[in-house]
C-alpha cells in the first residue's frame, strides 16, 4: 500500500511519492533529525522477507555507502520500521538525462561534459569493484548547472536468490519505456538483467558480466545523447535483444561536429566482442578530458583509385589502431607508474550536522572552514550541531568513518594548519589560538587587533600571517603582532587572505579586485593576477585561485615570482565568498584546501546566490506587514523620504555585485530605477528633492548627488582614492556624514557641509584606530550617533557635534545601526545574540546636557530573518518611531554544506591539464 504524506519511517517523515520500479517505491521524505530532504526507497516484500537476501542487501548497501563521489547519489542508511524495510538515499533534484534526451539531441559541447562526469562516476565505482549493470538515462540526473548524479549503483545485486538461475523474462513485454528486466537471480551466469535498450550482448545471453557491461551501456548513452535516438531499438523485448546481439547502430546519425576521437570512442564501447571492447571506463574519461582528437579523417576526396582507394578504405581501421595504441600507451604507465591515481571521494561531516555558517551569511560560512594536513590524511573543518549556532573544530582522518570534535575550540572559525601538520590554528574570542591535532591544551597566539578578521595562514618561517584590514605577522609560539604592510594599499580598501610563498621572500594576498604580491624585503606591491582572489601556491609550480566560483590554475615560477602561462579553469562551482549581502561576509575566500601530498578537499556552492527579500513594515511589538509591490528582489539600505511616502534603496543586479538606486512609491506600489550606471548607500536630502549616493569602481566610491525625480545629470561631490560611504544627511546641520579611512591603520567619520556658495570640502570629525561605522546625525544636527568596537565589541555611542564634549555609550550588550526618530526623542538600535536580533529603544530625556535613558527591548526576531548590512544600516523608522521599515529575507535557495569533496592525487590531474 502506498505511504501517505505525513506518515513516518523511523525519523523520516514522508512528503510525497517520487516513483516506483522493480526495486520498490520511492518517496521524498524529511529527515527530522538532520533537517534535510532525502529519498526513501521501500524494498519489495519478497526481498525484505528473506533474511539471507536482506543480509546480502545490507552488505551491498554498506559497500555503496562508502562510495563517496560527487557524481554518485549517496546512500545514507537502511531503515526498518512499521514492518517495512527502506533504503535512505540522497535526494537528487533536477531532470533525468532521459528527460533531456526527450527534447532532442544534446549539442556536443553540452553532451561531452555530461558524459565525462558519468565516466568519472563509473571509474570510481569500478575502482571499488562495483558494477552498475543498469546504467540508463532514467538513472542519471542532470542539474540546471550541468552537475551530474548517477543513481541506483549496484542495487540490482540485491535481487539475487541462491540456486535460482531462471531468467524470468517476458519477451513480449512492451519496451517503449525501456523497462528494467529483473530476475530473482541476477548476479549469476544465465541471468539477464538490465534495461533492455542498454543491455550488453553478454547480459542479453545471460552470461556473467563485469565492468565492461557498464562500458557498453556508457557507449549506448553517449550515442543517444549525441543523436537523440537509441543505439538499439525494437517493438518488444525480443526484438530489442535481437538488435543488441545482431545489428549495428546507424553511425551516420552522429552529427558531423562530433570530434572523430569521440565517434571512435562510441564505436569501441559498443563492440559486441568483449575482447575488442574498451576494457576500462578510465579510457573514456581520459578521452573526454582531452582537447585534441587522437585521429581525424582526411577531407573527403572527389575520386580515389588503386592504392589510394585501399588506403582510404583502411583509414577507419588505422584510426582505430592509433586509438588502441594511444590508449595502451596511456593505460600502461597508469598501471606501472609511481604517480598516485586520481580518486574522487565524498565525505560527510558527521557527527556535525553541517559546516558552521557565519552570523549573517545564510547557509554558508564566510571564512575558510576546511583545512588539510600537509600529508593529506586529515581534514579539519568548522562544524555545528543541529539546532545550535555554536561552531567548533572537528578532525577527521580520511580512513575513518566520522570526525571527532577538538576540545576547547567552541566558537572557532578560519582553521589553518602548521607546516609540520602537528597544530591547527584558528580564531575564537578575538584571539588567534592553536591546538594540537588529536587534541590537547589550547594555546593563545595573540589578541586580534580591533576590526574584522580576513584570514590567516601558517608560514614555513614560523610566523602566522593574518589580515585585519591590513596584514600582520606574529610568531606561532605567541607574541605581539607586527604590521607587514606599511605602505598605502596598492588598490582596494582591504587586504585579505595572506599566503607566504616558499622561500619566505614574498607574500600573496587579495586586494580587491586582484591578487597582489608583496616582497617582504622592500615592501613593494605589484598586481600578480587581475580579477582573482584567494591565491594558494601548489608545489607543482602553479598558483590556484578563485574567480567567480571557479577554481583557476596558472603556471607560476616561484624563483622569479612570475606567472609563466595562461590560466585555466580546473573546478567549477567551488563555494566562494563573493556576492554576499553583508560587507563583512564579502571575504572572497574559496572553500578549498590542498595538501603537499596532492590531495584537494573542497565544498561546492559557487558564489552567494542573489537573495530575495520583501520590504516590510514592523510595529514595535514585532508584527509584520509586507509592502505592496516590494518583494522578490535583493533590496539594500532602505530610507524613508521626509514625507514618508517614498522609499529610497539600492537593488542588486541579477548575477552581479553591482547595485543601482531605486525609488519605491508606497501609495502606488511602484518601484522606479533612479540610476543606470550604479550606486549604493542612498540618502534623501532634508527636503526630499535630491539624493546622495556612493559610486565608484573597485570599491573606491565617491559621493554623487542627483535629483530625486531622475532629471538632469548626477553631480560628483567628492574626489578621493579611498572609498567613501554616505550614512546621514542632517537637516539641522545641513551636512552629510560619511565614512572614510584617513590612513590604512585608522577609521574616520567625515562631514561634508551642504548649501554654501563655495565647493564643499569635507572635514574629519572623528578618527580612531578601531572600526567606526553607522554615523547618524540627530535631526537637530547637535549630536552624532555612531558605532565603535573600542570595547572589544560593537556598541552605540553619541558625541556632540561639532564638539568638543564627552561621549555617551548608549548600548550595553552589543549595538549597531542606530536610527534617530524624527523628533529626536528616541534613539533606536539593533542588537545581536547567537540566535536572535533584538531591537531596542533608548529615550532622549534632554539635550542640554544630553540624557539618554536605559535601552528597553521592543522585540526580537530570528537571526537572518531580517537583513543586516555593514557599514551603513539596513533599516529605517517612521517619523514617530512607531513603525520600522525592515528588509525581510525570503527563504534562501542556498543549502547547508553537509558533504565535502575529496580528490586524492589531484595534483597529477592538475599537471596534465595546466602544463608549466
Amino acid at each position: 500500500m502506498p505511504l501517505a504524506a505525513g506518515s513516518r519511517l523511523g525519523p523520516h517523515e514522508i512528503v510525497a511519492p517520487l516513483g516506483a520500479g522493480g526495486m520498490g517505491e520511492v518517496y521524498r521524505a524529511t529527515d527530522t533529525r538532520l533537517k534535510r530532504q532525502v529519498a526513501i526507497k521501500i524494498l519489495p516484500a519478497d526481498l525484505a522477507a528473506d533474511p539471507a537476501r536482506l543480509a546480502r542487501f545490507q552488505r551491498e548497501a554498506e559497500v555503496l555507502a562508502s562510495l563517496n563521489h560527487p557524481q554518485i547519489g549517496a546512500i545514507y542508511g537502511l531503515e526498518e520500521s512499521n514492518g517495512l524495510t527502506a533504503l535512505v538515499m540522497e535526494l537528487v533534484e533536477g531532470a533525468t538525462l532521459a528527460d533531456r534526451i526527450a527534447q532532442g539531441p544534446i549539442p556536443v559541447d553540452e553532451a561531452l561534459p555530461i558524459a565525462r562526469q558519468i565516466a568519472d562516476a563509473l571509474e570510481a565505482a569500478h575502482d571499488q569493484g562495483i558494477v552498475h549493470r543498469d546504467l540508463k538515462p532514467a538513472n542519471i540526473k542532470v542539474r540546471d548547472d550541468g552537475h551530474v548524479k548517477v543513481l541506483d549503483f549496484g542495487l540490482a545485486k540485491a535481487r539475487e536468490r541462491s540456486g535460482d538461475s531462471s531468467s524470468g523474462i517476458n519477451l513480449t513485454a512492451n519496451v517503449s519505456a525501456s523497462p528494467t528486466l529483473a530476475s530473482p537471480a541476477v548476479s549469476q551466469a544465465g541471468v539477464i538483467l538490465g534495461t533492455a535498450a542498454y543491455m550488453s550482448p553478454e547480459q542479453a545471453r545471460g552470461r556473467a558480466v563485469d565492468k565492461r557491461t557498464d562500458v557498453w551501456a556508457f557507449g549506448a548513452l553517449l550515442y543517444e545523447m549525441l543523436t537523440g535516438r537509441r543505439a538499439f531499438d525494437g517493438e518488444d523485448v525480443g526484438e530489442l535483444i535481437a538488435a543488441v546481439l545482431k545489428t549495428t547502430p546507424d553511425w551516420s546519425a552522429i552529427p558531423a561536429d562530433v570530434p572523430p576521437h569521440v565517434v571512435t570512442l562510441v564505436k569501441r564501447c559498443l563492440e559486441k566482442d568483449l575482447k575488442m571492447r574498451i576494457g576500462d571506463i578510465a579510457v573514456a574519461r581520459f578521452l573526454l578530458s582531452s582537447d585534441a582528437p587522437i585521429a581525424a579523417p582526411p577531407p573527403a576526396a572527389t575520386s580515389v583509385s588503386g592504392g589510394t582507394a585501399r588506403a582510404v578504405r583502411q583509414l577507419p581501421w588505422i584510426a582505430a589502431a592509433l586509438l588502441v595504441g594511444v590508449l595502451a600507451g596511456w593505460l600502461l604507465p597508469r598501471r606501472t607508474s609511481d604517480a598516485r591515481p586520481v580518486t574522487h571521494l565524498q565525505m560527510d561531516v558527521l557527527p556535525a550536522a553541517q559546516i558552521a555558517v557565519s552570523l549573517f551569511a545564510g547557509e554558508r560560512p564566510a571564512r575558510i572552514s576546511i583545512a588539510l594536513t600537509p600529508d593529506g590524511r586529515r581534514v579539519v573543518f568548522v562544524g555545528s550541531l543541529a539546532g545550535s549556532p555554536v561552531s567548533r573544530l572537528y578532525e577527521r582522518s580520511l580512513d575513518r568513518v566520522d570526525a571527532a570534535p577538538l576540545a576547547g575550540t567552541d566558537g572557532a572559525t578560519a582553521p589553518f594548519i602548521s607546516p609540520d601538520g602537528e597544530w591547527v590554528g584558528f580564531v575564537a574570542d578575538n584571539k588567534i589560538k592553536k591546538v594540537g591535532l588529536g587534541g590537547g591544551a589550547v594555546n593563545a597566539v595573540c589578541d586580534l587587533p580591533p576590526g574584522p578578521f580576513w584570514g590567516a595562514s601558517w608560514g614555513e618561517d614560523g610566523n602566522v600571517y593574518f589580515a585585519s584590514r591590513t596584514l600582520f605577522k606574529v610568531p606561532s609560539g605567541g607574541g605581539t603582532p607586527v604590521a607587514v604592510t606599511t605602505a598605502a594599499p596598492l588598490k582596494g580598501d582591504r587586504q585579505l587572505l595572506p599566503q607566504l610563498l616558499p622561500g619566505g621572500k614574498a607574500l600573496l594576498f587579495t586586494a580587491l579586485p586582484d591578487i597582489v604580491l608583496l616582497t617582504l624585503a622592500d615592501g613593494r606591491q605589484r598586481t600578480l593576477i587581475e580579477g582573482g582572489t584567494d591565491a594558494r601556491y601548489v608545489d607543482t609550480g602553479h598558483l590556484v585561485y578563485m574567480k567567480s566560483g571557479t577554481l583557476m590554475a596558472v603556471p607560476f615560477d616561484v624563483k622569479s615570482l612570475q606567472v609563466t602561462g595562461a590560466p585555466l579553469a580546473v573546478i567549477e562551482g567551488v563555494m566562494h565568498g563573493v556576492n554576499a549581502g553583508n560587507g563583512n561576509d564579502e571575504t572572497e575566500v574559496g572553500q578549498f584546501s590542498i595538501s603537499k601530498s596532492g590531495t584537494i578537499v573542497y565544498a561546492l556552492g559557487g558564489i552567494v546566490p542573489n537573495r530575495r527579500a520583501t520590504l516590510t513594515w514592523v510595529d514595535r511589538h514585532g508584527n509584520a506587514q509586507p509592502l505592496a509591490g516590494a518583494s522578490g528582489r535583493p533590496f539594500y539600505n532602505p530610507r524613508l523620504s521626509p514625507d514618508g511616502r517614498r522609499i529610497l534603496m539600492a537593488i542588486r543586479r541579477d548575477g552581479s555585485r553591482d547595485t543601482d538606486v531605486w525609488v519605491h512609491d508606497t501609495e502606488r506600489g511602484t518601484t522606479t530605477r533612479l540610476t543606470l550606471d550604479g550606486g549604493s548607500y542612498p540618502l534623501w536630502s532634508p527636503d526630499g528633492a535630491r539624493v546622495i549616493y556612493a559610486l565608484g569602481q573597485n570599491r573606491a566610491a565617491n559621493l554623487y548627488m542627483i535629483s530625486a525625480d531622475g532629471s538632469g545629470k548626477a553631480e560628483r561631490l567628492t574626489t578621493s582614492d579611498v572609498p567613501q560611504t554616505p550614512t546621514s544627511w542632517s537637516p539641522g546641520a545641513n551636512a552629510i556624514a560619511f565614512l572614510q579611512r584617513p590612513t590604512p591603520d585608522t577609521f574616520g567619520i567625515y562631514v561634508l557641509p551642504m548649501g554654501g556658495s563655495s565647493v564643499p570640502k569635507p572635514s574629519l570629525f572623528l578618527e580612531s584606530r578601531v572600526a567606526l561605522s553607522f554615523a547618524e546625525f540627530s535631526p537637530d544636527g547637535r549630536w552624532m550617533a555612531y558605532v565603535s568596537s573600542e570595547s572589544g565589541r560593537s556598541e552605540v555611542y553619541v558625541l556632540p557635534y561639532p564638539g568638543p564634549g564627552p561621549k555617551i555609550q548608549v548600548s550595553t550588550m552589543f549595538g549597531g545601526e542606530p536610527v534617530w526618530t524624527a523628533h529626536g526623542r528616541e534613539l533606536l538600535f539593533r542588537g545581536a545574540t547567537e540566535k536572535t536580533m533584538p531591537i531596542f529603544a533608548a529615550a532622549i530625556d534632554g539635550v542640554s546636557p544630553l540624557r539618554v535613558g536605559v535601552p528597553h527591548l521592543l522585540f526580537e526576531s530570528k537571526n537572518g530573518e531580517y537583513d543586516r548590512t555593514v557599514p551603513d544600516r539596513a533599516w529605517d523608522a517612521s517619523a514617530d518611531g512607531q513603525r520600522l521599515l525592515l528588509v525581510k529575507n525570503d527563504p534562501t535557495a542556498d543549502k547547508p554544506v553537509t558533504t565535502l569533496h575529496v580528490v586524492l592525487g589531484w595534483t597529477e590531474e592538475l599537471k596534465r591539464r595546466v602544463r608549466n
Side-chain angles (χ1 to χ4, degrees):
M1 178 181 295
L3 298 181
S7 59
R8 295 177 70 96
L9 278 173
H12 303 97
E13 182 176 324
I14 301 299
V15 176
L18 291 175
M23 282 301 297
E25 299 164 348
V26 185
Y27 296 86
R28 176 191 288 267
T30 300
D31 184 335
T32 58
R33 289 177 302 189
L34 298 181
K35 310 299 182 186
R36 64 181 176 186
Q37 296 292 293
V38 298
I40 298 286
K41 177 172 282 190
I42 308 298
L43 302 184
D46 63 333
L47 190 155
D50 187 329
R53 294 162 66 202
L54 189 59
R56 165 91 183 204
F57 188 92
Q58 173 72 37
R59 290 194 298 272
E60 296 291 344
E62 289 172 358
V63 173
L64 292 165
S66 68
L67 186 59
N68 292 325
H69 190 275
Q71 267 70 55
I72 296 177
I75 293 177
Y76 297 144
L78 200 62
E79 188 72 43
E80 296 183 50
S81 179
N82 302 324
L84 296 174
T85 302
L87 195 65
V88 183
M89 304 179 295
E90 176 185 5
L91 178 65
V92 182
E93 305 284 5
T96 67
L97 185 58
D99 298 328
R100 177 62 185 85
I101 294 173
Q103 301 173 15
I106 302 177
V108 64
D109 59 348
E110 181 182 349
L112 298 190
I114 293 173
R116 183 169 58 248
Q117 293 179 71
I118 298 170
D120 276 339
L122 292 175
E123 183 180 11
H126 293 173
D127 285 347
Q128 299 296 319
I130 298 171
V131 181
H132 194 293
R133 301 195 296 179
D134 195 19
L135 190 66
K136 57 185 178 181
N139 278 343
I140 298 167
K141 286 287 189 79
V142 183
R143 297 192 320 213
D144 290 343
D145 63 358
H147 189 81
V148 170
K149 286 275 190 178
V150 182
L151 311 179
D152 283 354
F153 248 103
L155 298 184
K157 281 189 174 184
R159 299 291 292 177
E160 176 180 76
R161 177 178 293 162
S162 177
D164 188 347
S165 61
S166 62
S167 66
I169 294 180
N170 177 4
L171 295 182
T172 62
N174 185 291
V175 294
S176 61
S178 289
T180 297
L181 304 181
S183 162
V186 298
S187 64
Q188 301 175 3
V191 175
I192 300 177
L193 173 72
T195 300
Y198 309 94
M199 285 194 305
S200 64
E202 57 270 23
Q203 276 182 299
R205 292 189 173 99
R207 296 175 180 171
V209 299
D210 58 22
K211 62 184 181 181
R212 289 172 293 182
T213 281
D214 284 351
V215 172
W216 171 281
F218 175 81
L221 277 178
L222 184 50
Y223 178 93
E224 189 170 341
M225 283 192 284
L226 295 170
T227 65
R229 64 172 76 171
R230 291 197 184 114
F232 306 96
D233 214 342
E235 293 296 326
D236 55 37
V237 174
E239 287 188 10
L240 209 158
I241 291 177
V244 168
L245 294 174
K246 299 178 180 179
T247 68
T248 300
D250 180 5
W251 303 122
S252 65
I254 297 179
D257 62 343
V258 175
H261 70 288
V262 175
V263 178
T264 305
L265 169 65
V266 176
K267 292 180 178 180
R268 295 302 308 280
C269 287
L270 293 176
E271 281 283 357
K272 300 184 193 305
D273 186 344
L274 272 173
K275 296 179 181 179
M276 294 297 295
R277 191 182 310 159
I278 288 175
D280 196 324
I281 197 66
V283 174
R285 193 264 306 157
F286 170 75
L287 288 177
L288 293 172
S289 299
S290 176
D291 295 328
I294 292 174
T302 56
S303 64
V304 293
S305 63
T308 304
R310 285 193 299 272
V312 171
R313 287 195 299 269
Q314 292 170 356
L315 273 173
W317 297 104
I318 294 172
L322 285 172
L323 177 61
V324 171
V326 170
L327 296 183
W330 177 76
L331 286 173
L332 184 59
R334 183 174 184 265
R335 291 171 179 163
T336 61
S337 171
D338 292 333
R340 191 174 184 180
V342 179
T343 304
H344 293 258
L345 305 171
Q346 196 174 39
M347 59 170 278
D348 58 39
V349 297
L350 294 174
Q354 65 183 77
I355 296 295
V357 303
S358 298
L359 188 58
F360 308 123
E363 295 292 346
R364 60 173 63 208
R367 271 69 183 173
I368 188 68
S369 288
I370 50 180
L372 266 173
T373 55
D375 61 11
R377 296 181 179 180
R378 290 175 290 178
V379 179
V380 176
F381 61 87
V382 185
S384 62
L385 299 175
S388 172
V390 178
S391 64
R392 57 179 56 88
L393 295 185
Y394 289 80
E395 177 187 357
R396 174 175 171 176
S397 296
L398 293 184
D399 59 354
R400 296 187 62 85
V401 174
D402 52 16
L406 288 172
T409 62
D410 284 5
T413 187
F416 53 96
I417 306 293
S418 63
D420 61 7
E422 297 297 321
W423 296 86
V424 55
F426 61 96
V427 171
D429 305 322
N430 286 318
K431 299 176 184 291
I432 294 180
K433 301 180 179 183
K434 66 178 183 178
V435 64
L437 283 167
V442 174
N443 301 309
V445 176
C446 69
D447 292 328
L448 283 174
F453 169 78
W454 302 117
S457 64
W458 200 315
E460 293 181 351
D461 62 356
N463 289 309
V464 172
Y465 292 83
F466 67 94
S468 178
R469 296 289 183 183
T470 188
L471 304 181
F472 294 86
K473 69 176 180 179
V474 62
S476 60
T480 301
V482 176
V484 174
T485 50
T486 56
L490 182 66
K491 54 182 63 180
D493 64 332
R494 293 184 294 182
Q495 298 175 334
L496 311 93
L497 309 169
Q499 296 281 332
L500 187 69
L501 285 169
K505 296 181 179 180
L507 195 70
L508 294 174
F509 66 93
T510 298
L512 297 175
D514 302 327
I515 294 166
V516 172
L517 185 139
L518 167 72
T519 50
L520 297 176
D522 56 15
R524 291 184 180 179
Q525 303 176 30
R526 62 180 170 89
T527 299
L528 195 64
I529 299 172
E530 294 184 350
T533 67
D534 198 4
R536 327 264 182 96
Y537 178 75
V538 184
D539 287 341
T540 54
H542 296 87
L543 291 181
V544 294
Y545 62 95
M546 295 299 302
K547 186 171 185 177
S548 299
T550 296
L551 188 67
M552 307 290 294
V554 65
F556 179 75
D557 183 0
V558 74
K559 293 182 179 179
S560 65
L561 302 178
Q562 297 290 338
V563 170
T564 59
L568 184 71
V570 288
I571 304 178
E572 296 182 356
V574 176
M575 184 169 282
H576 193 189
V578 172
N579 205 43
N582 188 293
N584 277 337
D585 292 335
E586 190 81 355
T587 61
E588 307 288 337
V589 70
Q591 294 296 340
F592 71 96
S593 182
I594 304 171
S595 72
K596 284 186 172 295
S597 66
T599 296
I600 186 173
V601 59
Y602 62 93
L604 289 175
I607 66 173
V608 181
N610 272 348
R611 67 180 181 86
R612 295 291 184 263
T614 300
L615 292 179
T616 305
W617 287 118
V618 184
D619 67 20
R620 292 170 74 96
H621 302 288
N623 301 310
Q625 180 181 1
L627 274 73
S631 63
R633 305 185 74 175
F635 302 113
Y636 294 93
N637 309 109
R639 293 290 183 273
L640 282 165
S641 61
D643 61 9
R645 298 168 60 183
R646 293 170 294 167
I647 299 171
L648 193 63
M649 73 199 98
I651 299 180
R652 177 171 283 178
R653 302 171 190 170
D654 285 340
S656 171
R657 286 186 265 180
D658 296 330
T659 59
D660 294 293
V661 179
W662 295 67
V663 178
H664 178 76
D665 189 311
T666 60
E667 295 179 349
R668 299 174 58 200
T670 58
T671 306
T672 306
R673 188 171 180 174
L674 187 60
T675 66
L676 298 175
D677 56 355
S680 58
Y681 304 113
L683 301 173
W684 293 104
S685 64
D687 60 3
R690 292 162 293 169
V691 170
I692 294 288
Y693 61 97
L695 175 65
Q697 296 293 324
N698 303 331
R699 300 183 182 270
N702 288 177
L703 306 188
Y704 286 74
M705 183 169 62
I706 192 172
S707 173
D709 61 10
S711 62
K713 293 183 178 181
E715 177 187 358
R716 185 170 185 170
L717 301 180
T718 60
T719 301
S720 172
D721 293 331
V722 182
Q724 300 170 326
T725 304
T727 57
S728 176
W729 190 338
S730 166
N734 197 19
I736 297 168
F738 66 92
L739 306 174
Q740 179 181 323
R741 300 192 67 175
T743 73
D745 300 322
T746 60
F747 302 82
I749 297 174
Y750 286 78
V751 172
L752 181 69
M754 300 295 292
S757 57
S758 61
V759 177
K761 293 183 178 181
S763 60
L764 180 62
F765 168 68
L766 180 63
E767 184 176 11
S768 174
R769 294 188 64 84
V770 301
L772 300 174
S773 55
F774 305 110
E776 292 284 336
F777 274 117
S778 62
D780 62 8
R782 298 174 61 183
W783 304 93
M784 180 81 78
Y786 64 97
V787 173
S788 170
S789 59
E790 62 192 66
S791 68
R793 63 173 178 242
S794 295
E795 301 287 5
V796 177
Y797 298 86
V798 174
L799 272 175
Y801 178 79
K807 67 184 175 187
I808 300 172
Q809 182 174 335
V810 179
S811 60
T812 57
M813 292 295 291
F814 186 93
E817 302 179 88
V819 177
W820 298 86
T821 56
H823 48 59
R825 296 176 184 172
E826 264 188 328
L827 186 60
L828 312 177
F829 63 91
R830 300 167 84 177
T833 70
E834 287 184 346
K835 295 184 178 181
T836 66
M837 184 206 72
I839 292 184
F840 297 90
I844 306 299
D845 298 326
V847 294
S848 185
L850 184 74
R851 293 191 299 273
V852 181
V854 176
H856 65 277
L857 177 68
L858 297 183
F859 66 89
E860 291 182 288
S861 60
K862 294 180 181 178
N863 263 336
E865 182 177 2
Y866 296 105
D867 186 45
R868 306 190 70 154
T869 56
V870 176
D872 195 17
R873 55 186 167 92
W875 68 309
D876 207 351
S878 61
D880 58 6
Q882 297 304 302
R883 291 198 304 172
L884 310 179
L885 180 64
L886 296 169
V887 179
K888 186 170 186 179
N889 293 317
D890 294 349
T892 179
D894 223 0
K895 296 181 179 180
V897 178
T898 58
T899 56
L900 299 175
H901 300 271
V902 182
V903 185
L904 308 178
W906 179 75
T907 52
E908 295 300 314
E909 186 174 286
L910 175 65
K911 287 187 292 185
R912 287 196 300 267
R913 296 188 60 189
V914 188
R915 298 189 181 277
N916 297 73

